[in-house]
Amino acid sequence: MEQNSATKKHKKNPFGLILHLHPRKVRASTLRFSLTFGLGGMAALLMVIQVVTGLLLKFHYEPSPGEAYNSILNLQESLLFGKMLRSIHHWSALAMVWIVFLHMLRVVFTGAYRTPRDVSWILGLALLILVVLSNFTGYLLPWDQLSYWAVTVATSLLSYVPLAGELIREALLGGKEVGQPTLTNFFNLHTGIIPLLIIALMAWHFWRIRRAGGVIVAEKDMGSPMVDTRPHLVNREFVVAVALLAAIFLISSLFDAPLRERANPSFSPNPAKAPWYFMGLQELLIHFHPFFAVVVFPVTVLTAAVWMPFIRSDDVNQGIWFLSDRGVRSAKFSLAAGALFTVLFIGLSELLPDPELLLPAVPPLITTGFIPFLLLALTVWVFMNYIRRRFSLNRSEMIQAVVVVIVTSYTILTLTGIFLRGEGMNLVWPWKV
Ligand code: HEM
Ligand code: HEM
């Protein structure tokens, strides 16, 4: 009898699935929009949009070099709402990279990556990489000039990985160049393996967040009351979801997903650029030895990111934006310092003579690799000591300052690569790119 009424109650509840993702009650302070901006939830909704639109696109898409481009033209011209469907998938994919990235910054700047959220953080890092890979594998599918050459350039970065680089590149491409086996591999990764991995890791991410007691609560808010998830949280999530859907539909109806001319493997555009999220790496390649640009820098940053939650700190300000007043001031200072340093670095490396020409007898791995890397590491060390003393920072505030410098630097490198590199990847004014 009791079981019957429980089943009935459950059946009547239209929010059943959403409520299962949440505890029955949540702390009122965590409902403040400005704590999370709903970014994690938006990322989850975008994934649902990608799966739904992706499955529909799959009905019409032909993963072969001869037919891929035609199948997209056909989809756009003869299928009702075909263009819209493709545009929604395209713009949501772009939004997803941005939103997941901003969500990560929100977690760093509210100090929400430490125990008991360390595993959520590491799962998040894996999710970020998978979302970028999902974008990258999707990029090739339209098989137009842009996609063909962007994938050729980006996968060529892999050959700089010592020992296994060429092997990994050929395994991914299914041969020496981008062709039919590449399209088959990318299609299978894009529509099968990667989405399944994202869904599995997302479920694990959600479970860990739940186990950690929900979203981070600042110490000053510990006394804030517990309120019912429905209506308080679910209503807010609903508003954010509707706003996001409206924005995606509006953008997709105003701007069509781009499609250039059909891929031509024998005509490379000049300059040939990687997809925008890899442009920072392509820009680094101009300044550093490839081994450092493609292996040492990314591996150092990723290792530091995995290690971040385990760096001991005595701070008590988790759950507060930028941790403290000192944190706000040092973050602003780091933003300015990171921007100035990167711009100066790009400018000087353009004006000063090439170290390889100055010291022809020394191997480039040393002149454009080890020496600049050590100089950079020294600069970061001096900078960290300086801001620690200037702002009396604790470890979490220091980590935050370093993240600000790295993100600012990568953003400027990316913008330079996209807007200021013209023919032969030389620096030009943006209107000449
Ligand atoms: C597909 C990608 C992702 C999805 C769907 C997702 C989803 C979510 C959701 C719904 C929350 C709780 C509410 C919120 O903060 O908005 C959350 C919290 C969290 N996420 Fe993510 N996330 C993703 C990627 C990431 C990334 C890239 C990171 C970091 C590298 C990350 C680290 C965390 C952490 C540490 C928390 C706990 C924060 C806290 O307790 O305040 N997540 N995530
Ligand atoms: C994280 C999730 C996903 C992301 C970020 C993503 C991203 C992308 C991107 C950037 C493109 C190229 C779009 C264009 O400019 O034309 C694309 C194309 C495509 N995607 Fe996805 N996708 C995701 C999930 C899926 C799923 C789950 C499927 C199917 C099961 C799918 C099927 C397709 C198909 C068939 C195309 C080719 C059609 C086209 O290019 O318009 N995608 N995807």
Side-chain angles (χ1 to χ4, degrees):
M1 183 66 189
E2 220 173 65
Q3 210 181 9
N4 262 351
S5 69
T7 330
K8 254 190 213 159
K9 205 169 156 198
H10 193 79
K11 266 191 185 154
K12 261 194 240 158
N13 186 352
F15 294 96
L17 180 65
I18 294 178
L19 282 176
H20 271 90
L21 288 172
H22 293 305
R24 244 172 33 79
K25 284 183 183 286
V26 287
R27 204 170 285 279
S29 72
T30 59
L31 295 177
R32 233 181 304 124
F33 183 60
S34 60
L35 175 63
T36 62
F37 294 104
L39 291 165
M42 287 196 225
L45 176 60
L46 285 167
M47 183 60 197
V48 175
I49 298 177
Q50 288 308 81
V51 171
V52 173
T53 50
L55 285 173
L56 292 173
L57 284 169
K58 223 179 148 183
F59 283 119
H60 288 266
Y61 180 76
E62 279 288 330
S64 80
E67 285 309 313
Y69 188 80
N70 287 347
S71 69
I72 301 252
L73 283 182
N74 207 2
L75 167 95
Q76 298 200 142
E77 278 151 27
S78 11
L79 183 77
L80 187 66
F81 296 125
K83 214 176 221 175
M84 181 75 174
L85 184 63
R86 182 164 173 253
S87 297
I88 294 176
H89 197 76
H90 178 90
W91 297 121
S92 304
L94 182 70
M96 200 164 168
V97 176
W98 273 101
I99 291 209
V100 170
F101 181 68
L102 292 177
H103 169 61
M104 179 180 78
L105 291 188
R106 172 319 258 176
V107 167
V108 176
F109 296 146
T110 55
Y113 53 87
R114 294 187 174 281
T115 328
R117 298 177 172 78
D118 43 6
V119 178
S120 310
W121 167 259
I122 293 169
L123 288 170
L125 289 175
L127 279 168
L128 178 67
I129 295 173
L130 284 171
V131 167
V132 170
L133 286 182
S134 187
N135 247 284
F136 179 57
T137 47
Y139 212 99
L140 182 68
L141 305 188
W143 205 256
D144 63 354
Q145 266 299 70
L146 190 68
S147 69
Y148 182 90
W149 287 102
V151 169
T152 303
V153 171
T155 47
S156 72
L157 299 181
L158 278 173
S159 33
Y160 299 118
V161 176
L163 306 175
E166 199 52 43
L167 220 72
I168 303 174
R169 193 180 88 94
E170 283 186 23
L172 188 65
L173 298 192
K176 295 227 175 281
E177 277 161 20
V178 177
Q180 169 69 66
T182 321
L183 191 53
T184 311
N185 285 354
F186 275 46
F187 180 72
N188 290 336
L189 284 167
H190 186 76
T191 60
I193 299 168
I194 296 178
L196 285 178
L197 280 175
I198 294 184
I199 291 167
L201 291 193
M202 252 169 70
W204 191 359
H205 191 59
F206 291 165
W207 178 66
R208 288 300 309 199
I209 294 160
R210 180 88 180 258
R211 243 186 70 167
V215 173
I216 190 120
V217 179
E219 205 157 77
K220 68 175 174 55
D221 292 325
M222 284 298 184
S224 127
M226 299 298 282
V227 294
D228 284 336
T229 299
R230 186 162 66 96
H232 299 285
L233 176 58
V234 174
N235 282 8
R236 282 171 171 79
E237 286 177 335
F238 184 72
V239 172
V240 171
V242 170
L244 178 67
L245 282 173
I248 295 280
F249 273 98
L250 185 69
I251 291 171
S252 306
S253 52
L254 292 178
F255 306 100
D256 293 337
L259 186 68
R260 301 276 175 89
E261 59 278 24
R262 187 189 303 272
N264 179 354
S266 49
F267 173 70
S268 156
N270 186 358
K273 294 187 181 180
W276 65 270
Y277 32 83
F278 291 144
M279 274 316 292
L281 283 184
Q282 203 181 344
E283 178 65 28
L284 270 182
L285 259 180
I286 298 176
H287 308 284
F288 290 94
H289 186 277
F291 174 61
F292 277 80
V294 178
V295 182
V296 177
F297 283 115
V299 170
T300 310
V301 170
L302 191 65
T303 313
V306 172
W307 182 39
M308 242 170 76
F310 310 105
I311 302 174
R312 293 233 322 257
S313 176
D314 51 3
D315 80 291
V316 285
N317 287 347
Q318 292 173 21
I320 295 177
W321 270 94
F322 297 103
L323 308 173
S324 61
D325 286 344
R326 293 187 308 257
V328 174
R329 275 183 281 123
S330 61
K332 283 185 189 160
F333 183 83
S334 307
L335 179 84
L340 188 69
F341 178 80
T342 316
V343 171
L344 273 178
F345 172 77
I346 296 171
L348 284 179
S349 112
E350 186 73 10
L351 297 174
L352 295 178
D354 193 341
E356 274 181 72
L357 301 178
L358 276 182
L359 302 165
V362 186
L365 185 65
I366 301 202
T367 49
T368 59
F370 278 107
I371 296 177
F373 183 73
L374 289 179
L375 285 177
L376 196 66
L378 186 71
T379 316
V380 172
W381 185 76
V382 170
F383 172 76
M384 282 169 69
N385 275 300
Y386 173 73
I387 53 163
R388 198 189 54 210
R389 267 186 274 121
R390 177 172 169 160
F391 297 101
S392 319
L393 302 182
N394 64 26
R395 289 231 183 106
S396 290
E397 290 155 353
M398 292 278 288
I399 293 175
Q400 177 176 273
V402 175
V403 172
V404 171
V405 170
I406 294 176
V407 169
T408 310
S409 242
Y410 194 77
T411 309
I412 292 186
L413 289 171
T414 306
L415 292 175
T416 308
I418 298 174
F419 296 111
L420 299 178
R421 294 277 169 198
E423 223 171 282
M425 290 304 274
N426 288 314
L427 271 187
V428 291
W429 294 112
W431 50 91
K432 293 203 169 151
V433 170

